[in-house]
Amino acid sequence: MKRLGMVLFFLLFFIPRLSAAATVTVDYSFPAPVASCDPHGIARVEMGDLAIRNAPGEPRLPVRTAKILLPLNHEAVKIELISAEWRELPLACRPARGTTGFSPLHPAGAAASVTEIDPRQPVEILGRQRLLGADLLLARLRPVAYDPATGRWRYVAALRLQVITRPRPVSPAAPFRGLSDDLARLRGFVDNPARLVDYRARRPKAEDWTYLVVAPAALADAFADYLDYQTQQSGLSAHLETIEDILAATAGEDNADRLRNFLRTAYADHGTQWVLLGGDADGADPAGQLVPLRCLSARAETTVVDHCIPGDLFFGNLDGPWDDNGNGWYGEEDDGADGGDVDLLAELYVGRIAADTAAEVATQLAKIMAYDDQPARPAAILVGEKLWPAPVVWGGDLKDLAFAEMPGFTALTLYERDGTFSHEALRAAINSDEYSIINASEHGNWYNILGLYSIAVGPVQNDLPFLSNTRPFFGYSHGCFSGSFDNRTMFDTYLETDSIAEELTTGMTAGAFALVANSREGFANWSETGGASSEFDIAFMHAVFADGFTSLGQALTAARESKVGELDGNAGANRWVFYDLNLLGDPHQALKIVAEPGDDDDDDTAADDDNDAGDDDSDGDDDDDIDADVDDDDDDGGCGC
């Protein structure tokens, strides 16, 4: 009788809760647009910091990605626009249409061919996602509407959305842990964080692997001192697991899948947040890769296709499948659960030391620790090449946009646009030890990055032997294939030698302590200033300087996820760059962007803008109930190689 009573209690209490639908209501407000007409009769409409959507055939207008937190283990059944406060927008011109990177900005009939977006439906469902065990609905909000039949413009000042949900009982690969860092991230990401109060956490068995290194046994000893360093400097619980043990004990379709499944366990049972992949991944054969890579698939500009884009975000985005259709091409738009998109939101911050030997591991780790010991140097070198000849597109213009997101820094601008770039000036600036960041908009290849070459090409020397900086820098590059850590070239061949990004980090005592670089193509705009690579660059710098995500893994994740609702933008180049930007460095490493009192600046000469670089001599809480103390309140692409 007692057992029957318990069964009845379960049926009466739990089943209604599981079967009950729920309603989520979220309010949005929008700033008044700033609008103007250019000499071609094309409108430019901006709304605060909202992105400008660029999709072929659609009007180029502001959009916002709604990130709506649903009840735990629920999915959206319906989204309704409950109310919208429309206002007239007096504008006597037409919107530009979205284009591909090979299209001119103002083609004949551009405005007339714009597809109408129904002003009564300013909401478009993008799909379901999970972040740190929380269920989300992503939707695109279009607060500006244009009617091509009448020429009428309107905008939404405020709207209210209502989402009807139903239970979707599942066992998530990455459960909701309720850790304090997880809660902070969720509160900053979703639009209705107050709903977190309804979530119940599944706490890790222990938080003993907060910082996890995965390395081959042959390189494990090279990380021993660094693990102690992380524990002492950062207070992290650090652990190393060999890839051999992981692959032997973990199920999966291939080595990359086994590693991802192991990281799911580390996240759920050991509280892992940071993952450092400690080994290279050379060649097409997985057997030759010290730590696996995952090839991802993307298409941009209708004709640029690659089914093997090395993307380490695969190991941090832990929910759902990445090849649900089973065709062997990972990361397609229908490769997620039930034919939806793949997991776009990261549970883990991932970086890679792309080393082949213990000596290479020691080289990069020594530079990371040296950077920590040095005073902050709030100065950057900006490198800008000519990206396209007619109409001319300057990398310097893109660097100016990124530098606008770096308050408190000074810059040395080495731009082809201004006639200030030379390899001698660049090497001298690096060797001066005055600059902590190098940011470049450039054509790239496996042998050049940040304006530097690792081989002689015509009159250009190999720059690397001339570098002697003792204060390592962080680099960010738009260049194609510069971060190809599998050693593939743009000719689909694989080299025995490493890419220049690896040489700068693991192959020399001078150079960089970390790089963010493309494993395949980067994308610039071929007809105006902008493009996918530039947008991610701007988002990265904004994450560091405005949002305070100074840890490299956090900043790269924030940059990616700022574009999560616009991956089809820039004719698909946004998804491509989302995948192929990788961090060759420690994801926990923080950039030092503000000089602290007591910094020894005797050897630091302030950077200036006169480009006089000189020449070098050569030519929580443990409870399961979450206390949510919260208030609920662009784009042309073109392969730039």
Side-chain angles (χ1 to χ4, degrees):
M1 181 62 120
K2 183 175 182 182
R3 176 179 295 180
L4 177 60
M6 290 299 294
V7 171
L8 289 173
F9 175 82
F10 178 88
L11 292 173
L12 292 172
F13 183 76
F14 283 98
I15 288 181
R17 290 171 62 113
L18 287 172
S19 61
T23 301
V24 179
T25 303
V26 188
D27 292 318
Y28 293 91
S29 61
F30 301 91
V34 176
S36 61
C37 301
D38 73 8
H40 301 272
I42 302 297
R44 181 180 183 88
V45 183
E46 297 180 344
M47 296 185 82
D49 59 357
L50 267 63
I52 305 298
R53 176 163 170 78
N54 178 36
E58 293 187 15
R60 294 181 66 169
L61 294 173
V63 294
R64 173 175 174 175
T65 300
K67 296 165 286 191
I68 302 171
L69 181 67
L70 306 180
L72 183 64
N73 292 334
H74 272 229
E75 63 181 354
V77 177
K78 184 179 181 181
I79 185 169
E80 297 178 313
L81 178 63
I82 300 301
S83 62
E85 183 184 338
W86 287 99
R87 297 181 181 178
E88 298 295 320
L89 178 60
L91 201 58
C93 50
R94 297 181 176 183
R97 72 173 182 203
T99 63
T100 65
F102 302 103
S103 305
L105 178 60
H106 297 297
S113 63
V114 168
T115 301
E116 180 179 0
I117 302 297
D118 188 345
R120 296 166 298 176
Q121 300 295 333
V123 183
E124 176 186 353
I125 295 177
L126 298 176
R128 180 176 181 269
Q129 287 286 318
R130 263 208 173 99
L131 174 60
L132 297 164
D135 291 281
L136 278 67
L137 175 68
L138 302 185
R140 180 178 296 129
L141 307 183
R142 302 175 184 267
V144 178
Y146 170 75
D147 183 349
T150 63
R152 183 188 186 192
W153 288 86
R154 294 196 302 164
Y155 75 94
V156 174
L159 61 82
R160 171 170 291 182
L161 297 180
Q162 181 173 276
V163 181
I164 309 300
T165 74
R166 65 185 174 198
R168 189 173 186 259
V170 292
S171 178
F176 179 71
R177 303 181 298 186
L179 303 180
S180 58
D181 287 346
D182 293 359
L183 288 171
R185 185 165 171 224
L186 284 166
R187 288 167 178 157
F189 187 78
V190 303
D191 298 331
N192 55 328
R195 184 160 288 273
L196 283 168
V197 74
D198 298 327
Y199 270 61
R200 300 274 296 181
R202 191 196 117 182
R203 308 291 293 193
K205 297 174 183 176
E207 294 180 47
D208 53 346
W209 297 2
T210 305
Y211 181 92
L212 176 63
V213 176
V214 174
L219 303 185
D221 288 347
F223 286 95
D225 290 343
Y226 192 68
L227 291 173
D228 292 339
Y229 176 82
Q230 283 292 353
T231 300
Q232 294 166 7
Q233 293 291 112
S234 307
L236 299 175
S237 55
H239 176 77
L240 183 144
E241 196 78 12
T242 68
I243 190 64
E244 292 88 348
D245 288 346
I246 291 171
L247 299 183
T250 310
E253 295 180 1
D254 57 17
N255 287 349
D257 197 46
R258 293 183 187 97
L259 175 54
R260 183 171 183 248
N261 287 339
F262 169 81
L263 294 174
R264 286 170 162 172
T265 300
Y267 165 90
D269 292 347
H270 298 279
T272 300
Q273 298 181 45
W274 312 89
V275 175
L276 181 60
L277 304 176
D280 209 348
D282 294 337
D285 185 357
Q289 299 168 0
L290 298 184
V291 175
L293 65 76
R294 169 60 75 208
C295 289
L296 302 178
S297 180
R299 176 186 295 271
E301 303 295 352
T302 68
T303 59
V304 185
V305 182
D306 200 324
H307 298 304
C308 190
I309 301 171
D312 280 343
L313 82 164
F314 173 80
F315 300 112
N317 297 32
L318 300 179
D319 285 306
W322 276 65
D323 185 30
D324 193 55
N325 61 22
N327 66 359
W329 296 343
Y330 287 75
E332 296 173 294
E333 295 177 24
D334 60 351
D335 268 338
D338 303 322
D341 211 337
V342 296
D343 179 21
L344 302 172
L345 305 177
E347 279 70 44
L348 303 174
Y349 303 115
V350 180
R352 183 183 290 259
I353 303 292
D356 295 293
T357 66
E360 290 183 349
V361 172
T363 295
Q364 186 165 358
L365 296 183
K367 288 192 282 187
I368 292 171
M369 292 185 284
Y371 176 80
D372 277 344
D373 287 341
Q374 296 163 3
R377 292 165 289 153
I381 301 171
L382 306 180
V383 176
E385 294 185 3
K386 180 189 284 187
L387 301 178
W388 195 245
V392 65
V393 177
W394 296 108
D397 292 343
L398 302 183
K399 291 303 88 182
D400 291 342
L401 295 175
F403 186 64
E405 299 291 342
M406 301 170 66
F409 261 53
T410 56
L412 173 68
T413 55
L414 300 180
Y415 293 168
E416 281 194 81
R417 182 194 70 192
D418 304 335
T420 54
F421 176 83
S422 72
H423 287 266
E424 294 78 15
L426 176 58
R427 295 193 301 250
I430 292 172
N431 291 339
S432 74
D433 279 331
E434 297 175 13
Y435 304 94
S436 60
I437 294 176
I438 304 178
N439 194 330
S441 182
E442 58 191 335
H443 295 288
N445 211 321
W446 62 268
Y447 56 77
N448 67 288
I449 191 173
L450 306 177
L452 299 167
Y453 279 63
S454 62
I455 62 173
V457 179
V460 178
Q461 293 178 296
N462 179 348
D463 292 298
L464 302 192
F466 299 112
L467 297 185
S468 59
N469 59 301
T470 60
R471 293 183 172 183
F473 58 82
F474 165 71
Y476 191 108
S477 171
H478 295 193
C480 303
F481 283 84
S482 299
S484 178
F485 60 85
D486 63 341
N487 298 352
R488 203 184 95 183
T489 73
M490 62 177 57
F491 305 109
D492 292 337
T493 58
Y494 288 86
L495 302 176
E496 294 296 324
T497 54
D498 283 333
S499 68
I500 186 171
E502 295 166 87
E503 291 195 52
L504 270 176
T505 50
T506 67
M508 57 192 303
T509 55
F513 71 88
L515 295 169
V516 169
N518 297 313
S519 61
R520 295 294 184 259
E521 284 84 358
F523 287 84
N525 178 353
W526 289 30
S527 60
E528 62 173 329
T529 301
S533 291
S534 177
E535 291 178 15
F536 279 83
D537 180 5
I538 291 168
F540 182 93
M541 296 304 163
H542 184 87
V544 171
F545 287 85
D547 298 333
F549 296 128
T550 56
S551 293
L552 294 173
Q554 287 181 314
L556 181 55
T557 297
R560 286 195 191 109
E561 293 177 358
S562 72
K563 309 298 291 183
V564 73
E566 293 299 314
L567 294 191
D568 60 340
N570 288 313
N574 283 0
R575 180 178 291 269
W576 189 297
V577 177
F578 188 94
Y579 286 167
D580 87 337
L581 276 179
N582 291 289
L583 169 61
L584 298 182
D586 183 346
H588 189 262
Q589 178 62 45
L591 288 176
K592 303 168 74 171
I593 60 174
V594 178
E596 298 179 358
D599 277 352
D600 181 6
D601 294 324
D602 291 344
D603 296 325
D604 265 323
T605 303
D608 55 38
D609 293 314
D610 64 7
N611 299 294
D612 185 16
D615 293 332
D616 59 14
D617 293 334
S618 54
D619 221 39
D621 116 269
D622 294 328
D623 296 328
D624 286 345
D625 293 308
I626 306 306
D627 180 13
D629 182 17
V630 294
D631 295 322
D632 198 7
D633 305 307
D634 323 357
D635 286 340
D636 241 60
C639 177
C641 303

